[in-house]
Amino acid sequence: MTDALKRLSDEGVAIWLDDLSRKRITSGNLAELLDQQHVVGVTTNPSIFQKAISGGDGYEAQLSDLAARKLTVDEAVRMITTADVRNAADVLRPVFDATGGQDGRVSIEVDPRLAHHTRATIAEAKQLAWLVDRPNTLIKIPATKAGLPAITEVIGLGISVNVTLIFSLERYREVMDAYLAGLEKAKAAGLDLSKIRSVASFFVSRVDTEIDKRLDALGTPEAKAARGKAGLANARLAYEAYEEVFSSDRWQALDRAGAHKQRPLWASTGVKDPAYKDTLYVDDLVAPGTVNTMPEATLEATADHGSITGNTIAGTYEQSRAEIDAVEKLGIAYDDVVNLLEEEGVEKFEASWNDLLKSTEAELKRLAPSEG
């Protein structure tokens, strides 16, 4: 094992695990990752919960109780997922305390079926914050058009938010604007801004997957040369936008009031194409004030053979713009790609949520007590 994870952490990158299950909590594995692998946070999403709960390990006793109470499947899923997040938050609480609230965070997502409904998203975020009832929770809200005003409203209430499913640079700027507007609302309401935290989850590998597919269809030498570059370029230009927004006069006024920057979080960092190094989206996205949330396989790969050589974003902006332009010149429209990825991202999470509801409903029926 190398010390790559420690070096990554020393460079100012917070290492979060993109996975959670009850077994991971109860076995002590999560605590072990904090202790030995420099993990300081956890993210979940509907796909992760669907995999964990469908696997069944550790959930039967609670499912049996929920079946006896005749809860609806929607209520049961929320009881199960919030229990896992609450327990994980307790494991991470020492990290939260040691970092002054910056890390030691666990994220839980609003029902993905609400992604295009602002008021329902706000109501769900408030309910989740109440249900989990831990200060180190982040409520995940998707960066859809309907999600943007919800982000402002929820931040304005003093609830910390992980904004998810960000693919485009334009949408990322709108997310940062929504965060600042929320902080301004919170300030006007007299809330303590130092208690509010946020990350913006900018997706990386999915951009390469979609653009590479289109490049492969072209099949030209120029298209081949452009493979595997757009995901990193897009993320690096997002960091440029972050530096710009969080040095603005608008930000400075909030900074003086005790607010914290909304950190960029690199999401979807598992490498999908075996032609690329399996630590690509870790090694090449190192910059201070960022978060990298990794599936366990990527975490282990980084620990084993990651190459952490200092800041790998500084000085890349001109090259990154050229790499995005090169794809555009080949007839692959950036806006078309990122809009498709957002639509698909919402659809995939909704499909996972529906699968979770179906499998949970089947378990509730199986475990339901006979009448009498």
Coordinates of all heavy atoms in Angstrom, one line a residue, residues 40 116 153 161 190 211 213:
V40 N -13.4 10.7 5.3 CA -13.9 11.7 6.2 C -15.4 12.1 5.9 O -15.9 13.1 6.4 CB -13.1 13.0 6.3 CG1 -11.7 12.7 6.9 CG2 -12.9 13.7 4.9
H116 N -38.4 17.4 -10.4 CA -38.9 18.5 -11.2 C -40.0 19.3 -10.5 O -40.8 20.0 -11.1 CB -39.3 18.0 -12.6 CG -38.2 17.3 -13.3 ND1 -37.1 18.0 -13.8 CD2 -38.1 16.0 -13.7 CE1 -36.3 17.1 -14.4 NE2 -36.9 15.9 -14.4
E153 N -34.0 28.0 -1.1 CA -34.9 28.0 0.0 C -34.4 27.2 1.2 O -34.5 27.6 2.4 CB -36.3 27.4 -0.5 CG -37.4 27.5 0.6 CD -37.9 28.9 0.9 OE1 -37.7 29.8 0.0 OE2 -38.4 29.1 2.0
V161 N -26.7 21.4 2.4 CA -27.1 20.8 1.2 C -26.0 20.2 0.4 O -24.9 20.9 0.3 CB -28.0 21.7 0.3 CG1 -28.3 21.2 -1.0 CG2 -29.3 22.1 1.1
G190 N -31.4 36.2 10.2 CA -30.7 36.2 11.4 C -30.0 34.8 11.8 O -29.7 34.6 13.0
I211 N -19.4 11.1 -24.3 CA -18.6 11.8 -25.4 C -17.8 10.7 -26.1 O -17.7 10.7 -27.3 CB -17.8 13.0 -24.8 CG1 -18.8 14.1 -24.5 CG2 -16.8 13.4 -25.9 CD1 -18.1 15.4 -24.0
K213 N -18.4 7.6 -26.5 CA -19.3 6.8 -27.4 C -19.5 7.6 -28.7 O -19.5 6.9 -29.8 CB -20.7 6.6 -26.6 CG -21.7 5.8 -27.3 CD -22.9 5.5 -26.4 CE -23.7 6.7 -26.3 NZ -25.0 6.4 -25.5

